[in-house]
Each structure stands twice: as structure tokens, then as C-alpha cells.
Amino acid sequence: MKKFNIILMGEHRLIREACASLLNEKDELSVLASVSNYTDSSLTGLSPDLVIVAGNAGNVHGPDQVCFINRLFPRTPVMGLFMSPHVAIARKMIQAGMKAYLTSDSSIVEVFAAIDQLRENKTYVCDEIKDLLSKQLANDNNPENNTLDKFQLLSSRELQIIGFVRNGATSKDIASELNITFRTVESHRHNILKKLQIRNSTSLVNYMSFGDGLMSAV
């Protein structure tokens, strides 16, 4: 039987090694490489059947990670593991091109089920996200759901800037890091506050304490 070759990406070596150990228990699966991010030179010339992103895999936010990996391996599906258990982020990752989305509560059995779906050119969303979506649809007046709905209004760039703000970066820092003007950053920050219906950046940081898991994927 031809091996199904997998590349593992993620900033935490221990998580990658644990995943590799579990995946290699399956005779038909083989971990081809384990790297911290998509810029690793050891990826050159590889032809994986699947790329698994275990948490963050670079200095860019989640959706951009997927785009970069898709450019590197255009015919290879991307699976996310240990991602945020929030529908809004799951939706953005899938819109960016991720084919399977699982959270830290997903079992190894569900991981294997997702791989089986991907081998059949299908997409997969874990049970936890499906359950959260069902609850949102059943109770639109839930404050948490309203918060997630607001996050869905944000663009990928705005989510990226929120990630910088969460880490204490100033507008000048963000402009330098993203190679955009200070005025552009300030415009994005204004739009973020308007979309989330928040008065100032201090309130934004406090607001994000609700969605700490949500922002971990930004």
C-alpha cells in the first residue's frame, strides 16, 4: 500500500512530536517532515499528501498561514489542529482554503476520520464546531453568539491587526511590521472599533479577554 505522506507544521516541537507518534501508528500514514513553519528550507522538493498545522506556524495570522501553505503545495489539502473552538475563526480558516478544522478537544479517532475524508477529496469540520454552530442557530440572542457574529464582520487584515494589539503593539509598530502607513493602521483600528461597537483600544483589549481562545488563531 502506498504511504499517505504528511507534513506537520507548528511552533511547538512537543506537540509536533506527539502528533507524529500517533500518526505513525497507522501503517498507511507516514510523517514526511516536521517543521516549525512553511519557510523551512527542508520542505523544498517535498510532495506531501497532507499538511497538518498544529497551532501557529509562522508570524502571520491563521488565514494567511493557509494561503502561504497553499502556494507552497497547491494540490495538497491543509488540516488545522489545536485551533480555536469558535465558529467565526473556523469559517475564516475554511474560506482561506483549509480543508479540515479540528480543535484541541478533538480525539485522535476524529483526526483519523478527517484524514479519511480528505483522502476522498472531501472537507471536514470537527464535532465541537458543529455543536457550537447548532447552538448559535438555536439561540441567536445568546450574548456570546452575538460577539462571534461581530467578529465575522472583520476582514483578515483587521483580525491580523487585532492580534498585534492583543500583544501590546502600537500603531507605529504595526505599520512597520506590515509595511503599511501609520494612517492605514489607524483607519483599520477605527473600523475595528466601529464594527465591534467598542469605544476605544482599551475597551478592545478588555473585550478580547472574552475571546482569548478566539484570538489564539489570529
Side-chain angles (χ1 to χ4, degrees):
M1 177 184 295
K2 182 181 180 295
K3 290 282 189 178
F4 189 76
N5 294 315
I6 299 171
I7 288 177
L8 282 171
M9 288 188 192
E11 61 185 354
H12 299 297
R13 181 178 178 180
L14 180 60
I15 292 176
R16 298 199 316 269
E17 289 182 350
C19 289
S21 178
L22 291 169
L23 293 170
N24 282 329
E25 288 182 0
K26 286 279 190 177
D27 291 338
E28 69 272 21
L29 303 180
S30 175
V31 175
L32 194 63
S34 175
V35 298
S36 60
N37 60 66
Y38 45 81
T39 64
D40 195 296
S41 60
S42 67
L43 297 177
T44 303
L46 298 183
S47 299
D49 298 301
L50 172 65
V51 175
I52 296 179
V53 181
N56 291 330
N59 294 323
V60 297
H61 72 312
D64 280 349
Q65 291 179 26
V66 180
C67 292
F68 281 120
I69 295 169
N70 282 336
R71 290 173 193 164
L72 187 61
F73 303 112
R75 291 180 293 278
T76 303
V78 180
M79 174 192 292
L81 289 179
F82 312 114
M83 310 295 279
S84 171
H86 292 279
V87 174
I89 290 298
R91 181 178 288 114
K92 286 186 178 295
M93 297 296 277
I94 291 170
Q95 288 173 342
M98 183 168 279
K99 297 299 182 183
Y101 190 102
L102 296 94
T103 70
S104 56
D105 279 341
S106 301
S107 67
I108 187 60
V109 173
E110 193 168 18
V111 172
F112 289 143
I115 291 175
D116 288 340
Q117 290 290 301
L118 293 176
R119 295 180 75 170
E120 297 178 8
N121 295 318
K122 298 178 181 179
T123 58
Y124 188 92
V125 176
C126 69
D127 291 338
E128 184 178 13
I129 294 296
K130 290 178 182 176
D131 289 344
L132 286 171
L133 179 59
S134 296
K135 290 176 183 178
Q136 285 189 23
L137 294 174
N139 185 10
D140 289 338
N141 293 321
N142 187 305
E144 178 175 326
N145 293 340
N146 290 337
T147 300
L148 294 176
D149 286 342
K150 291 176 184 177
F151 269 101
Q152 293 175 36
L153 298 175
L154 301 178
S155 67
S156 293
R157 177 65 89 186
E158 288 165 349
L159 283 171
Q160 188 176 22
I161 288 175
I162 284 182
F164 281 109
V165 173
R166 179 175 180 266
N167 292 326
T170 65
S171 291
K172 184 178 179 180
D173 296 331
I174 298 170
S176 176
E177 184 70 25
L178 299 180
N179 196 27
I180 57 179
T181 67
F182 176 87
R183 186 182 295 274
T184 298
V185 175
E186 287 292 287
S187 177
H188 282 307
R189 293 182 70 149
H190 172 77
N191 290 335
I192 290 167
L193 297 180
K194 184 177 180 180
K195 289 179 180 180
L196 297 181
Q197 299 176 10
I198 297 174
R199 289 178 296 177
N200 52 51
S201 294
T202 301
S203 298
L204 175 61
V205 173
N206 292 333
Y207 183 87
M208 288 187 299
S209 66
F210 155 79
D212 228 11
L214 173 71
M215 297 315 301
S216 68
V218 171

